[in-house]
Amino acid sequence: MPEPTPTSVTQIPGVFAAHATLAEGGTGCTVIVCPKGATGGVDVRGGSPATRETDLLRPEETVQVLNAVVLSGGSAYGLAASCGVAEELERQGIGLNVGAGVVPIVSSACLFDLPVGDFSSRPGIGEGAEATRRALASQGVPLERGCVGAGTGCTVGKLAGPERAMKSGVGECVLCSADLVCGAVSAVNALGNVCDPDTGEAIAGTLSPDGTRVADACELLLDANERSGFSKTAEENERANAARQPAPRTNTTISCVVTNARLTKAQATKVAQMSADAYAHAIRPTHTTSDGDTVFVMATGDVDAAPDVVGVLATRALELAIADAARSAWGAYGLKAAADL
Amino acid sequence: MPEPTPTSVTQIPGVFAAHATLAEGGTGCTVIVCPKGATGGVDVRGGSPATRETDLLRPEETVQVLNAVVLSGGSAYGLAASCGVAEELERQGIGLNVGAGVVPIVSSACLFDLPVGDFSSRPGIGEGAEATRRALASQGVPLERGCVGAGTGCTVGKLAGPERAMKSGVGECVLCSADLVCGAVSAVNALGNVCDPDTGEAIAGTLSPDGTRVADACELLLDANERSGFSKTAEENERANAARQPAPRTNTTISCVVTNARLTKAQATKVAQMSADAYAHAIRPTHTTSDGDTVFVMATGDVDAAPDVVGVLATRALELAIADAARSAWGAYGLKAAADL
């Protein structure tokens, strides 16, 4: 009897995932664990990233396994959640065997959700450990989606200020081609709008002034430029540039692609690079100076597959996961979600 | 009286551009010259690039000017055209002043068009010098588009072999927002299909078996994977992987964004990275292991502009230039073009 087709990354053999959510604080973290160690890759493409353990994922560096990817809220503070993940994995004996014990390899990227809920609330050691315990008990249980985990405080469409932004969350999609499986989990906190990757239609983003529909984000940026343009003096130009520049460093979409493909670190890196195209397909604009956009890849190595095939399938899974993040969110913290329009 | 709105990069002050075409050989080169030196940036995102003078464009390296970008056919052999560009610029006294003379800074990327026309025909020193002389006389004369220059031997849609590929070429688009101008020149030789960035509809790419329409390239790749999937032995897997993998290193889309914005090298690099999203918008799939996709940026420094605004406008100009490359090509070398469907 054939295996049932997986619909969540937790149904991919060797992959475990769960969230910890600080609902009142408006933040949380999402942990994807491969206890046996996946082959890892990463692509950091945004201008304002907050990451840890990304350097060792480079093809030329020694370590060949990646035990967990942590997607976290809390901006750079949220990197603390990864410490809790590492501690919990150590308690479970999961990690690189270094003789006297194990060292879990935990890569992470964070997104900026501090103004949502409580500025002082950030995922820490406790939330990292909690999400890890839940993940290790998650086998086959579909991952929750929406305003949970790293998606708890996610917002999108911040080009006209926070009051016209919309609520987003964490989304997921798993696709198969023959025996190849590619899943993607994405916490979408973009400066730009999330749009349907097939039609280009906006799902969530910067609201129109009357709050009834999503405005065109690229047009908003260029309109602001038109209004502030044709400046003459250096001082006028400085003011104009401030007006042209969206709120800095307050965004970021972070994702993890999980596949059962057998990839080298170099191939996993290439798949991460290709998967970043999913951001271009589903977020407009993306990869701005204010987005710390990052994509991790975890490959469990169970089936042979050409990197381009994995890249194409992963890109498709990730663009649908991004759309899912916007569609599965609900209104919260005074912000509307796609479901409210 | 306001300046007329530029419709070609040659109408941007300080920017000169032209082609040299080896029509019979099925190759050529395109040169964009900024005699006074632009601020340069580059993004190399494909898996099989052929480039020169890209390292010195990194923000931390010393040289602050870029005199010319050469887009060339001829695969790695085509880098020779840049030597001719440098020699001609020296004759004109254009380049970095090093006391006893000048050293022109010439960055270049090449695309693989060897099987089109004559395999042994490649743009060399003569073509580089010729294109440079034409460029310096080009002020205000719109750049030619279609099967000329670096676009002479361009093809797209090579997932089902060369006999189902289509002819592409070199395209261009210039857009303005207030006093900011962003132009893009692109020679499109992609493995994937070129599609309309607004509708997603295929313009040119892998033909259907009956040659009447463009097939879905991502579907083709995944279908091939399905057919070769579910393999069992290592040997079977090796054969299956060969079937899954498209023809290697025979593609590449290379582009140059030209803007009158005042950018630092770091900002120009960021704009190049953002502009690479245009490939994701207009080519499916793109950035594969068989595409040496590269985007250069030349910024002449005449107007202040926020990098994100430049990035958004440049991305839009480049995706329209890519579509233009497919639309402006004509059937040649036994291949159909979009105009023939």
Side-chain angles (χ1 to χ4, degrees):
Chain A
M1 217 172 77
E3 299 279 327
T5 303
T7 56
S8 176
V9 293
T10 58
Q11 294 159 356
I12 301 175
V15 180
F16 302 81
H19 309 288
T21 302
L22 292 166
E24 206 169 317
T27 192
C29 65
T30 299
V31 179
I32 299 108
V33 184
C34 292
K36 290 184 185 165
T39 302
V42 68
D43 184 71
V44 182
R45 193 100 186 130
S48 301
T51 56
R52 66 165 248 169
E53 289 283 51
T54 48
D55 282 328
L56 61 62
L57 295 180
R58 284 203 300 260
E60 67 272 25
E61 310 306 352
T62 308
V63 168
Q64 297 292 319
V65 295
L66 175 59
N67 294 112
V69 164
V70 184
L71 310 177
S72 178
S75 187
Y77 299 114
L79 293 172
S82 296
C83 305
V85 174
E87 289 177 11
E88 184 61 31
L89 290 177
E90 183 187 25
R91 283 189 284 272
Q92 308 285 340
I94 293 169
L96 196 66
N97 187 338
V98 293
V102 296
V103 178
I105 307 300
V106 180
S107 294
S108 179
C110 301
L111 57 83
F112 184 96
D113 57 5
L114 296 175
V116 177
D118 179 355
F119 192 96
S120 67
S121 177
R122 299 107 194 224
I125 289 179
E127 287 70 35
E130 178 195 331
T132 306
R133 282 192 298 274
R134 285 187 186 170
L136 291 173
S138 71
Q139 192 162 21
V141 181
L143 192 67
E144 282 181 276
R145 296 137 55 225
C147 305
V148 293
T152 308
C154 279
T155 54
V156 292
K158 284 158 274 190
L159 274 163
E163 59 287 344
R164 281 169 60 188
M166 285 179 69
K167 194 72 192 74
S168 176
V170 66
E172 188 193 27
C173 176
V174 178
L175 297 176
C176 302
S177 168
D179 48 357
L180 173 66
V181 181
C182 289
V185 178
S186 185
V188 180
N189 192 51
L191 174 75
N193 292 350
V194 177
C195 58
D196 184 293
D198 295 320
T199 65
E201 205 175 331
I203 300 167
T206 300
L207 286 167
S208 56
D210 66 357
T212 59
R213 57 176 186 82
V214 180
D216 186 307
C218 291
E219 245 173 50
L220 276 173
L221 198 63
L222 296 177
D223 282 354
N225 185 62
E226 301 271 349
R227 282 197 307 277
S228 63
F230 300 111
S231 316
K232 295 288 168 266
T233 71
E235 201 179 299
E236 279 171 352
N237 274 331
E238 201 174 313
R239 276 202 303 274
N241 271 338
R244 290 175 197 200
Q245 185 70 43
R249 289 178 289 283
T250 55
N251 306 284
T252 291
T253 298
I254 49 181
S255 308
C256 184
V257 163
V258 183
T259 176
N260 64 350
R262 185 173 300 121
L263 300 176
T264 64
K265 282 177 80 179
Q267 291 169 333
T269 303
K270 184 67 199 157
V271 169
Q273 289 176 356
M274 288 181 70
S275 301
D277 282 346
Y279 287 30
H281 293 164
I283 305 172
R284 305 270 175 126
T286 193
H287 297 136
T288 73
T289 60
S290 300
D291 285 289
D293 297 338
T294 299
V295 181
F296 292 99
V297 168
M298 302 182 90
T300 63
D302 287 332
V303 308
D304 282 307
D308 283 336
V309 173
V310 182
V312 164
L313 197 64
T315 300
R316 181 66 177 156
L318 181 50
E319 67 197 40
L320 293 175
I322 292 168
D324 181 56
R327 289 198 173 107
S328 64
W330 50 86
Y333 312 104
L335 295 164
K336 283 184 185 176
D340 301 320
L341 293 190
Chain B
M1 216 173 77
E3 299 281 327
T5 304
T7 58
S8 175
V9 293
T10 58
Q11 295 160 353
I12 302 174
V15 180
F16 302 81
H19 310 287
T21 303
L22 293 166
E24 207 170 315
T27 192
C29 64
T30 299
V31 178
I32 299 109
V33 185
C34 292
K36 290 185 184 164
T39 302
V42 68
D43 183 70
V44 182
R45 192 99 185 132
S48 301
T51 57
R52 68 165 247 169
E53 290 283 53
T54 48
D55 282 328
L56 61 60
L57 295 180
R58 285 203 301 262
E60 67 272 26
E61 310 307 351
T62 309
V63 167
Q64 298 293 320
V65 295
L66 175 59
N67 295 112
V69 165
V70 184
L71 311 177
S72 179
S75 188
Y77 298 113
L79 293 171
S82 296
C83 305
V85 174
E87 289 177 11
E88 184 61 32
L89 290 178
E90 184 187 24
R91 282 190 284 273
Q92 308 285 342
I94 293 169
L96 197 64
N97 187 340
V98 293
V102 296
V103 177
I105 307 300
V106 180
S107 294
S108 179
C110 300
L111 57 84
F112 185 95
D113 57 6
L114 296 175
V116 177
D118 179 354
F119 193 94
S120 68
S121 178
R122 299 105 195 226
I125 288 179
E127 287 71 34
E130 178 194 332
T132 306
R133 282 190 298 273
R134 286 188 186 169
L136 291 173
S138 71
Q139 192 162 19
V141 181
L143 192 66
E144 280 181 276
R145 297 136 55 224
C147 305
V148 293
T152 307
C154 279
T155 54
V156 293
K158 284 157 275 190
L159 274 162
E163 59 286 344
R164 281 170 61 189
M166 286 179 68
K167 194 73 192 71
S168 176
V170 65
E172 189 193 29
C173 175
V174 178
L175 298 176
C176 302
S177 167
D179 48 358
L180 173 67
V181 181
C182 288
V185 178
S186 185
V188 180
N189 192 50
L191 174 75
N193 292 349
V194 177
C195 57
D196 184 292
D198 294 322
T199 66
E201 206 175 331
I203 300 167
T206 300
L207 286 167
S208 56
D210 67 356
T212 59
R213 57 176 187 82
V214 180
D216 185 308
C218 292
E219 246 172 47
L220 277 174
L221 198 63
L222 296 176
D223 283 353
N225 184 62
E226 302 271 348
R227 283 197 306 277
S228 63
F230 301 112
S231 317
K232 294 291 167 265
T233 72
E235 202 179 299
E236 281 171 351
N237 274 330
E238 202 173 311
R239 276 202 302 275
N241 271 338
R244 291 176 198 199
Q245 186 70 41
R249 290 177 289 282
T250 55
N251 307 284
T252 291
T253 298
I254 49 181
S255 308
C256 184
V257 163
V258 183
T259 175
N260 65 350
R262 186 173 298 123
L263 300 176
T264 64
K265 281 178 80 180
Q267 291 169 334
T269 304
K270 184 66 199 159
V271 169
Q273 290 177 354
M274 287 181 71
S275 301
D277 282 346
Y279 287 31
H281 293 164
I283 306 172
R284 306 269 174 127
T286 194
H287 297 134
T288 73
T289 60
S290 300
D291 286 289
D293 297 338
T294 300
V295 181
F296 292 99
V297 167
M298 301 183 90
T300 64
D302 286 332
V303 308
D304 283 308
D308 284 335
V309 173
V310 182
V312 164
L313 196 64
T315 301
R316 181 66 177 157
L318 182 49
E319 67 197 40
L320 293 173
I322 293 168
D324 181 55
R327 289 197 174 107
S328 65
W330 48 88
Y333 312 103
L335 295 164
K336 285 185 182 174
D340 301 319
L341 292 191

